[in-house]
Amino acid sequence: MQVSSALLISALLGTALAAPSPVQTKGHAVTLDLIAGQGSANGGMNFNGGAKGNRTFTVPLGSQVTIKFTNMGTLAHSFVIRKGGAAPTDADATDAVFPAAYAPARVEVGIKSGMHQQVTFTAKRAGSYYIVCGVPGHAMAGQYIRLMISKTAKVASFQ
């Protein structure tokens, strides 16, 4: 069995390897790896381990954004990018603030565990938005995080 040298050094030094970033920026193209049900945070009702708006993707204004959506949870999940403001209690495709900023087409049904979907849209308006699960009851349970489209950011980030 081969072990990578980075893994071996990490094990010998007692350090953890950093998880890969869920954001990539290349020119005006941004890729976000959006993962539903990542771990047990908020009872599995989370995106990338965040819930109730406690994590934020930041994207530069004008970026072409590709969201690679994966469901790692045990339940079906979806996502819709909707306006910010008061905490969301639900979401459907008509709430999407940008064309194609949701998946799957029937957000109320979601995708099953282990499935993937990909969408691309242009971040045309700066502001604060939510990424919300559209499966009934999930937003109310806290399955939403934030998306900031920033006039000043040069690269995408996740905090």
Side-chain angles (χ1 to χ4, degrees):
M1 169 163 79
Q2 275 191 323
V3 177
S4 77
S5 58
L7 183 59
L8 182 58
I9 291 169
S10 176
L12 291 173
L13 296 176
T15 59
L17 291 174
S21 175
V23 299
Q24 298 85 43
T25 303
K26 188 172 185 177
H28 290 292
V30 170
T31 301
L32 306 178
D33 293 322
L34 181 65
I35 303 170
Q38 184 178 29
S40 61
N42 197 42
M45 297 288 189
N46 68 70
F47 289 112
N48 297 68
K52 300 179 183 174
N54 70 351
R55 303 295 305 265
T56 304
F57 281 106
T58 300
V59 171
L61 178 65
S63 296
Q64 178 154 4
V65 179
T66 297
I67 295 181
K68 294 180 178 179
F69 176 57
T70 302
N71 181 1
M72 291 179 62
T74 57
L75 302 173
H77 292 289
S78 65
F79 80 90
V80 177
I81 298 177
R82 61 171 296 162
K83 67 181 178 180
T89 57
D90 63 2
D92 63 39
T94 64
D95 293 319
V97 293
F98 304 106
Y102 62 91
R106 294 184 58 207
V107 297
E108 71 280 2
V109 174
I111 60 173
K112 294 178 182 179
S113 181
M115 295 185 70
H116 310 277
Q117 295 255 308
Q118 182 171 307
V119 300
T120 301
F121 63 92
T122 302
K124 293 182 180 180
R125 290 184 302 282
S128 178
Y129 304 95
Y130 285 116
I131 301 173
V132 181
C133 185
V135 174
H138 290 204
M140 192 170 285
Q143 191 175 0
Y144 59 91
I145 59 174
R146 297 180 184 277
L147 170 67
M148 290 293 299
I149 299 180
S150 170
K151 292 179 183 178
T152 58
K154 301 294 183 213
V155 296
S157 64
F158 182 66
Q159 295 183 338

